[in-house]
Amino acid sequence: MKCPKCGNDSIEFVSNVQSKNRGALSWIGWLLFAFLTFGIGLLFWFFMALTNKKTITKTRAICKNCGHQWDI
Ligand SMILES: [Zn+2]
């Protein structure tokens, strides 16, 4: 792989791991839903808690020559 800016092939690869969480407002909504459905919603809430975290791995290339960065 070569740098699209200067054409140099000395490139450093950096992996960036990001985790995304649901907003606090949706959690309050789910708790309210659980309260209104007398615990039935709590099962849904538990399910949502299990599937809450999403991890995104991004690989980034950095040119050692000119410092140009881009996503792969
Ligand atoms: Zn470059």
Side-chain angles (χ1 to χ4, degrees):
M1 189 177 272
K2 280 184 177 182
C3 173
K5 205 176 180 183
C6 68
N8 201 287
D9 58 358
S10 57
I11 291 150
E12 196 177 34
F13 295 101
V14 179
S15 59
N16 188 19
V17 182
Q18 292 176 323
S19 60
K20 276 191 172 180
N21 285 315
R22 284 195 180 89
L25 202 74
S26 66
W27 285 112
I28 296 158
W30 274 106
L31 279 167
L32 195 76
F33 179 68
F35 180 74
L36 288 167
T37 54
F38 300 101
I40 300 158
L42 207 71
L43 289 165
F44 288 100
W45 186 76
F46 183 70
F47 179 73
M48 292 294 277
L50 284 170
T51 57
N52 186 41
K53 271 205 168 177
K54 276 184 179 177
T55 44
I56 302 156
T57 313
K58 270 190 173 181
T59 311
R60 220 168 152 79
I62 302 159
C63 176
K64 282 180 181 178
N65 188 44
C66 69
H68 181 65
Q69 290 181 26
W70 70 98
D71 292 314
I72 301 162

